[in-house]
Amino acid sequence: MRRTMCGVVAVITAGVMLTGCTGSAGQSGADDKTINYWGYEGGISTETAKQVIADFEDAHPGYTVNAVVMDTADFDVKLPSTLGKASGPDLVYTGTEPNHLGRYVNVGQVSALDDVWEENGWDDLVPSTQQRLTYGGTPYAVGNELETVGLMYNKVILDRLGIAVPKTLKDLEAAMDTVRASGDGTTPMVLACGGPCYAGLHMMHALGYATIPTNTIVATTSDGDGAYTDGGWLEMLQKFQEWNDAGYFTADASGIPDENHTADFCSGGTAFMVKGPWMFNAMAECEKANPDAFTFGFTGFPVAEGMPFQAYVGTGKAWFLSSSLDGNEEKRQAVLDLVKGFTDASTFPSWIEKDQRFPAMAFDPADYSMTGPQQEAMQIIQDAGDNGGPVDIGFNNSAEETQVWVSGLQGILGGTATPQEVVDQLQAQLEKDQAAWAEVK
């Protein structure tokens, strides 16, 4: 039996202009043969996704998939007021953290999947990804894009300056000192924190797992019992401030938008960047465009001395169904068939070898042709093991907390906020989120 968890949360009713669309949003859900599918580009515009959609339409006469690419800002505004309604999407491909999936589950906007979980083989999801898809013992989403966050580097620069790939956090700092002291204009570390500051949040993922025990990170969430005043968070933000003061980051990072901020890295102007496997295809294109200035390398973000190796390991995105489908079994089954197509083992070669993205279903890496960075990413995931965590910093509690992170990082970069002030602001917001989560559980 399908189950939902109900509660009360505020919803945003403002409209939003959609961009990058392959279809049109807002098409009426009353059309039982049109599947309105909203998602990030990985689930819509990659080669694998486009082929699965085409195969589905061939196998389901009369059905059309209206696939719309959306970004995080669009989802944050549009989904709360439309998911679970006929005017909203039938299928969504987005983040799995409480800020996204969790809040929709809590108000009954997502269809539970326990009735079809095992028969579709979704119980084979990588355990660390499945944890983030389950609420109250019930699965609500199907994960994809197994991810980690690591250290990208330009081999050309490291070779020119005689820098070894960093193995510890102290090694990384010494390497950035060498880059800065070279005097050739090379930037040690890419950082862009304008707008939504995604690159800054990725830096928090990396620095967090490099300096704070995983169990502390996982507990400091809306459904946990941790606090930002617990040991580690202040020290991590102080380290971020030290790096900024040392001139490691891109100049004026607080004002640089995320869009195209990797250009300097790709053209050979920066030694290091914090990103994950979702960028591998783009980095391969950079190598082709700038072979003399850029050769791409990827390794685990080094941890502080005395700590076991840790890394963020989890599912980047997931598919989940609107609860509006619970009253239309035929269409619900069709949407489930589409998701089953995305996760079928026959798609794995395409996901892995063409799109350079990892399915969150169990697979043997030896069965596929993977690039060097992909192999390194798989090694990071394996090495992290139980030390890796399914919850990522900066996205895990609420949209409000994310904004505290963003404004706080911008303040540290611009010299208008201290790490202690940011910790205090984060703790105040976390207490609100934990109280709200307890109320709706």
Side-chain angles (χ1 to χ4, degrees):
M1 179 179 294
R2 295 188 294 278
R3 301 184 292 275
T4 57
M5 300 170 60
C6 296
V8 179
V9 297
V11 297
I12 303 171
T13 58
V16 64
M17 181 68 70
L18 301 180
T19 61
C21 300
T22 59
S24 57
Q27 196 165 331
S28 174
D31 180 359
D32 286 349
K33 295 294 186 180
T34 297
I35 296 174
N36 290 312
Y37 174 31
W38 296 358
Y40 288 108
E41 56 86 24
I44 287 181
S45 58
T46 54
E47 290 189 45
T48 307
K50 289 187 288 187
Q51 186 61 56
V52 169
I53 291 171
D55 290 345
F56 169 84
E57 291 178 335
D58 287 344
H60 295 73
Y63 275 95
T64 299
V65 179
N66 180 45
V68 181
V69 174
M70 300 181 74
D71 62 22
T72 301
D74 291 338
F75 273 124
D76 286 345
V77 174
K78 192 72 173 177
L79 269 182
S81 60
T82 59
L83 187 63
K85 300 179 180 179
S87 59
D90 301 299
L91 179 64
V92 177
Y93 184 74
T94 186
T96 61
E97 51 276 354
N99 178 28
H100 292 113
L101 175 62
R103 64 174 172 171
Y104 306 130
V105 168
N106 278 346
V107 293
Q109 292 176 297
V110 182
S111 180
L113 300 177
D114 49 334
D115 61 325
V116 296
W117 195 251
E118 291 187 13
E119 70 182 66
N120 285 325
W122 295 331
D123 52 333
D124 284 336
L125 284 167
V126 176
S128 67
T129 71
Q130 192 164 330
Q131 180 176 341
R132 290 187 47 190
L133 312 177
T134 303
Y135 291 85
T138 299
Y140 284 89
V142 182
N144 196 43
E145 297 193 48
L146 180 63
E147 290 182 351
T148 186
V149 172
L151 182 67
M152 295 184 171
Y153 58 91
N154 185 345
K155 295 179 185 177
V156 173
I157 293 175
L158 268 59
D159 289 347
R160 184 178 74 238
L161 299 177
I163 299 171
V165 176
K167 300 298 183 184
T168 68
L169 203 59
K170 184 179 292 185
D171 290 342
L172 176 57
E173 291 175 330
M176 291 192 291
D177 282 332
T178 300
V179 173
R180 184 192 54 187
S182 68
D184 63 2
T186 303
T187 300
M189 178 76 72
V190 168
L191 189 68
C193 201
C197 191
Y198 297 134
L201 294 170
H202 291 146
M203 182 64 67
M204 294 300 97
H205 300 169
L207 269 176
Y209 282 100
T211 59
I212 304 173
T214 294
N215 58 359
T216 298
I217 294 172
V218 174
T220 315
T221 56
S222 52
D223 54 347
D225 58 3
Y228 282 111
T229 52
D230 293 342
W233 293 104
L234 176 60
E235 292 78 7
M236 182 199 73
L237 286 168
Q238 288 172 335
K239 177 67 70 175
F240 179 76
Q241 183 181 47
E242 289 172 12
W243 286 12
N244 181 58
D245 292 345
Y248 292 160
F249 297 138
T250 308
D252 301 318
S254 61
I256 299 174
D258 285 313
E259 294 82 1
N260 301 319
H261 76 275
T262 60
D264 193 55
F265 183 61
C266 290
S267 63
T270 306
F272 298 104
M273 182 169 71
V274 173
K275 290 289 182 183
W278 65 92
M279 290 293 296
F280 285 174
N281 258 346
M283 293 300 99
E285 292 302 314
C286 288
E287 282 190 324
K288 295 177 184 178
N290 303 288
D292 296 331
F294 182 78
T295 304
F296 171 54
F298 186 69
T299 190
F301 194 90
V303 301
E305 290 75 6
M307 286 191 66
F309 179 74
Q310 299 182 156
Y312 163 67
V313 178
T315 182
K317 306 292 182 293
W319 289 280
F320 54 89
L321 280 64
S322 169
S323 59
S324 64
L325 294 171
D326 290 344
N328 186 338
E329 193 60 38
E330 179 182 339
K331 187 173 184 180
R332 181 175 186 268
Q333 184 58 56
V335 177
L336 288 169
D337 289 347
L338 177 58
V339 178
K340 175 64 174 173
F342 285 124
T343 60
D344 190 271
S346 64
T347 66
F348 290 4
S350 183
W351 283 120
I352 296 167
E353 297 173 1
K354 292 182 180 179
D355 301 328
Q356 294 196 43
R357 303 181 191 228
F358 300 131
M361 307 285 282
F363 67 93
D364 185 349
D367 292 340
Y368 304 94
S369 176
M370 295 195 296
T371 65
Q374 281 183 302
Q375 294 174 28
E376 184 65 28
M378 292 304 300
Q379 189 64 51
I380 292 168
I381 291 168
Q382 178 178 328
D383 290 345
D386 291 337
N387 292 319
V391 177
D392 52 347
I393 307 166
F395 299 92
N396 52 350
N397 295 318
S398 66
E400 291 79 11
E401 188 191 298
T402 298
Q403 289 308 306
V404 174
W405 274 105
V406 170
S407 61
L409 296 180
Q410 291 172 340
I412 291 173
L413 291 169
T416 60
T418 67
Q420 184 63 64
E421 289 170 341
V422 176
V423 165
D424 292 342
Q425 293 162 1
L426 287 168
Q427 180 59 26
Q429 185 59 53
L430 177 64
E431 290 173 4
K432 295 178 183 178
D433 294 332
Q434 288 176 332
W437 192 264
E439 180 179 342
V440 300
K441 284 183 68 174

